[in-house]
Amino acid sequence: TQLLEQSPQFLSIQEGENLTVYCNSSSVFSSLQWYRQEPGEGPVLLVTVVTGGEVKKLKRLTFQFGDARKDSSLHITAAQPGDTGLYLCAGESSGGYNKLIFGAGTRLAVHP
Amino acid sequence: SAVISQKPSRDICQRGTSLTIQCQVDSQVTMMFWYRQQPGQSLTLIATANQGSEATYESGFVIDKFPISRPNLTFSTLTVSNMSPEDSSIYLCSVKTGIYGYTFGSGTRLTVV
């Protein structure tokens, strides 16, 4: 069974601080995806990383995929209150049966 | 990317009854996925629904409790049967869009009393 361990589960920080969320597994995934979910909505895809060692940037968000494609991180620079939400990592398994396996999620609160 | 319409957005149901959730996609898709998100938790895959074949259920989920229909390439339903308070969750449908990435419906918030 493939599992994704996401940490931390809760993060409460002040506006302007930096933070990193981690997603680790003992399994290899064909892709690693990061989602953000607002209350009352479904998760919205932020980014997909596919290649080992890949780094993608989305404004103040930096996403990294580990060389072995087993782990990933999300780094937010100078967090703002608008970044508040639930961040989810999800690994896509392959082998003829595509499905997403989600981490536990990180609930981020950024205070003004 | 695809646009998903999920209904109802929320419902309060009596224990022992059943609720059917609908998921309509604005384009044809091969696979549709149903997830459960328990309060304050992450998403757990219930089953994968392919058109023209029986749904594939994940460990811990059975067809008698969560029957799924997939009559065509743009529509699916999930029924939560014989509900108990433990079934109170958000239920979401999802489709794969492009090579990587998935689109989710806005979810159905179910409360069983």
Side-chain angles (χ1 to χ4, degrees):
Chain A
T1 305
Q2 291 180 301
L3 293 173
L4 265 175
E5 294 183 359
Q6 186 173 348
S7 62
Q9 288 198 26
F10 300 96
L11 204 49
S12 180
I13 60 173
Q14 293 299 124
E15 182 176 1
E17 292 184 22
N18 301 331
L19 66 112
T20 302
V21 179
Y22 300 93
C23 207
N24 298 298
S25 175
S26 58
S27 304
V28 175
F29 293 98
S30 61
S31 73
L32 203 297
Q33 302 168 24
W34 287 90
Y35 292 81
R36 178 176 164 181
Q37 186 177 20
E38 302 286 351
E41 300 292 330
V44 174
L45 180 66
L46 295 174
V47 79
T48 301
V49 284
V50 178
T51 306
E54 184 176 4
V55 177
K56 282 191 174 179
K57 293 195 174 189
L58 190 66
K59 296 184 181 178
R60 292 176 293 101
L61 278 60
T62 302
F63 304 85
Q64 191 160 2
F65 202 12
D67 290 340
R69 293 189 294 138
K70 294 181 180 181
D71 56 89
S72 181
S73 64
L74 157 62
H75 183 79
I76 301 179
T77 303
Q80 299 176 3
D83 295 326
T84 294
L86 178 65
Y87 291 83
L88 298 155
C89 66
E92 184 173 26
S93 62
S94 57
Y97 186 72
N98 292 332
K99 65 178 181 180
L100 280 184
I101 297 164
F102 279 86
T106 296
R107 198 165 293 278
L108 172 65
V110 183
H111 305 284
Chain B
S1 62
V3 176
I4 298 177
S5 173
Q6 189 173 335
K7 295 185 209 179
S9 59
R10 58 177 62 231
D11 208 340
I12 301 173
C13 300
Q14 296 290 325
R15 66 180 67 199
T17 63
S18 298
L19 175 71
T20 295
I21 302 167
Q22 299 181 4
C23 186
Q24 178 77 52
V25 189
D26 69 344
S27 57
Q28 294 185 339
V29 292
T30 304
M31 291 191 287
M32 294 178 75
F33 305 87
W34 287 98
Y35 288 85
R36 182 176 72 183
Q37 187 173 26
Q38 293 179 301
Q41 309 226 354
S42 186
L43 282 74
T44 302
L45 182 64
I46 297 172
T48 302
N50 292 321
Q51 192 264 336
S53 64
E54 213 168 86
T56 302
Y57 289 81
E58 297 298 308
S59 176
F61 298 96
V62 295
I63 187 171
D64 290 346
K65 176 67 176 178
F66 298 100
I68 288 171
S69 79
R70 184 78 202 273
N72 57 54
L73 290 174
T74 63
F75 187 78
S76 179
T77 67
L78 169 76
T79 299
V80 186
S81 304
N82 188 24
M83 289 183 285
S84 67
E86 292 70 37
D87 295 318
S88 297
S89 289
I90 300 171
Y91 293 86
L92 301 114
C93 65
S94 173
V95 300
K96 188 166 185 178
T97 49
I99 300 175
Y100 303 109
Y102 292 72
T103 300
F104 288 81
S106 55
T108 297
R109 183 178 294 271
L110 170 64
T111 302
V112 184
V113 297

